Amino acid sequence: MDMLAEVLDRVRLGGTLLFHFELGHPWRLALPQRPYALFHYLSRGSATLALEQGRELRMTGGDFVVISRGEPHEVYSDRRTRPSSVLDLVRSPAHLGVVRHGGDVEPYATMICGKFTMTRPSRCSVLELLPPVLLLKPAEDGEWREAILRRMVSESARERPGQGIALSRLTEVLFVEVLRSWTKSLGPGEGGWLGAMADPHIGPALKLIHERPDRPWTLDDLGQRVGLGRSAFSARFTKLVGQSMYRYLIVRRMEEAAFLLETSDEGIAQIASSVGYETVAAFSKVFLRHHGLSPGRYRTSHRSDGGQRQSNALEVVATD
């Protein structure tokens, strides 16, 4: 099982290109709080990215930044310039073409801005594992990231059938490349379960939990299977994943149950059994505590708005 592929498929990852900027000095762009992650790729020039808390990042050509929680921020060449909100900028229909902004003085900069969305976020969302601000510098294996971005710019340059779907799929691939680059830079105990997947002991244990959430896994059982004693396995799991094995197992079961309630016609008793609970009452109690709704209400609620949420995922509107 490819755990990352399974998780990304189930959260319904998407996104799109929002802006392709050509910027003349001086310029200063303000981006408000957004309900999704934002990314910026500075393909040429230099800029400063500033967040409300006062943190600043200096960007140079080839840098890729993800604002994982959609925090308000600014990007500029000159802080003394009056900020322009991206929501007020005039663009052609469907975000086609290049947006030229700023002055007419060198140095010029080009920047691509877009968003990552999840129409079925979970409590162990991949986006929540990322730092609030992720800066990826150019790397030897970064040519894929640049190639995907160039293709996104090409795809958005003129309106064509299926454009929204194409951009969403390209954004999915881009996000996978971002995760791959980030996880390579992680040290021990960083990145939650995403970083722990590379560990020779905890990685296989996570795979077992994901493949068989119905099993009554114990520390002794999993530790033995991956070659560690109970105490050593427990300590290592908690350190690398950021939560105990038992807590992670509950979360995994509840996410699997939620997915089945949304996407299948299986009865609640059958779903309870498939995630390791002998009775509906025991399953419902844990599910209610985790999701805030009973299994039946959760199924009704998420199926009634599922079509709308899927439709929203395919929109390519920056001001949603």
Side-chain angles (χ1 to χ4, degrees):
M1 169 190 282
D2 184 336
M3 283 175 50
L4 181 58
E6 178 203 38
V7 170
L8 292 179
D9 181 58
R10 291 191 172 188
V11 298
R12 298 171 188 161
L13 176 68
T16 191
L17 183 72
L18 299 178
F19 290 93
H20 181 202
F21 286 111
E22 287 187 357
L23 302 157
H25 183 76
W27 56 273
R28 184 179 176 189
L29 297 170
L31 296 96
Q33 178 75 46
R34 298 281 83 190
Y36 41 71
L38 290 161
F39 65 83
H40 306 298
Y41 174 64
L42 192 69
S43 55
R44 183 180 67 169
S46 60
T48 299
L49 187 147
L51 292 101
E52 286 190 335
Q53 306 94 313
R55 182 183 179 189
E56 293 187 348
L57 290 177
R58 184 67 176 167
M59 298 177 64
T60 55
D63 285 357
F64 187 94
V65 175
V66 181
I67 310 297
S68 306
R69 319 287 190 264
E71 295 179 55
H73 58 283
E74 293 185 350
V75 189
Y76 54 80
S77 67
D78 188 341
R79 191 172 187 173
R80 296 168 296 182
T81 304
R82 182 178 178 180
S84 299
S85 172
V86 295
L87 302 183
D88 297 331
L89 298 181
V90 177
R91 289 174 295 173
S92 53
H95 311 289
L96 307 179
V98 175
V99 176
R100 292 175 174 83
H101 181 70
D104 55 3
V105 179
E106 294 186 358
Y108 297 108
T110 55
M111 185 169 66
I112 298 168
C113 303
K115 67 178 180 178
F116 295 124
T117 60
M118 291 186 179
T119 56
R120 190 188 170 275
S122 67
R123 290 197 175 188
C124 54
S125 168
V126 176
L127 284 174
E128 292 180 0
L129 295 175
L130 295 177
V133 181
L134 171 61
L135 171 62
L136 297 177
K137 305 295 289 185
E140 291 183 3
D141 59 351
E143 67 273 7
W144 281 107
R145 190 164 63 237
E146 185 175 352
I148 296 166
L149 287 159
R150 284 199 303 265
R151 179 58 187 159
M152 291 179 71
V153 169
S154 174
E155 179 63 40
S156 65
R158 58 190 179 89
E159 193 168 13
R160 290 184 288 181
Q163 184 183 60
I165 290 291
L167 286 170
S168 181
R169 296 296 181 265
L170 287 167
T171 310
E172 288 185 66
V173 179
L174 175 63
F175 188 69
V176 172
E177 288 300 322
V178 169
L179 289 181
R180 287 173 174 171
S181 297
W182 178 63
T183 53
K184 284 176 61 177
S185 68
L186 293 175
E190 296 178 336
W193 64 264
L194 192 59
M197 285 195 302
D199 184 80
H201 300 288
I202 303 306
L206 289 170
K207 185 177 180 181
L208 287 169
I209 291 173
H210 277 250
E211 289 176 342
R212 293 294 306 275
D214 61 310
R215 287 287 299 270
W217 296 111
T218 65
L219 292 171
D220 287 322
D221 189 12
L222 281 174
Q224 184 177 14
R225 285 174 177 258
V226 300
L228 290 176
R230 182 183 189 279
S231 297
F233 174 73
S234 177
R236 190 176 186 86
F237 192 103
T238 301
K239 177 182 178 182
L240 296 184
V241 179
Q243 57 186 310
S244 71
M245 184 279 289
Y246 290 112
R247 176 58 186 162
Y248 187 87
L249 176 59
I250 290 173
V251 172
R252 166 64 184 145
R253 286 173 167 176
M254 292 303 101
E255 293 302 329
E256 175 71 11
F259 178 76
L260 292 173
L261 286 167
E262 290 184 38
T263 61
S264 79
D265 294 321
E266 293 181 16
I268 293 177
Q270 186 176 356
I271 292 175
S273 177
S274 69
V275 295
Y277 292 88
E278 295 182 357
T279 68
V280 171
F283 165 67
S284 298
K285 181 179 179 180
V286 178
F287 191 93
L288 176 62
R289 186 165 62 241
H290 187 86
H291 289 288
L293 292 171
S294 68
R297 287 184 178 273
Y298 183 94
R299 169 171 271 172
T300 300
S301 171
H302 284 71
R303 288 200 167 182
S304 64
D305 69 357
Q308 180 62 41
R309 292 185 297 133
Q310 181 67 14
S311 174
N312 291 342
L314 302 180
E315 292 181 0
V316 288
V317 181
T319 56
D320 55 348

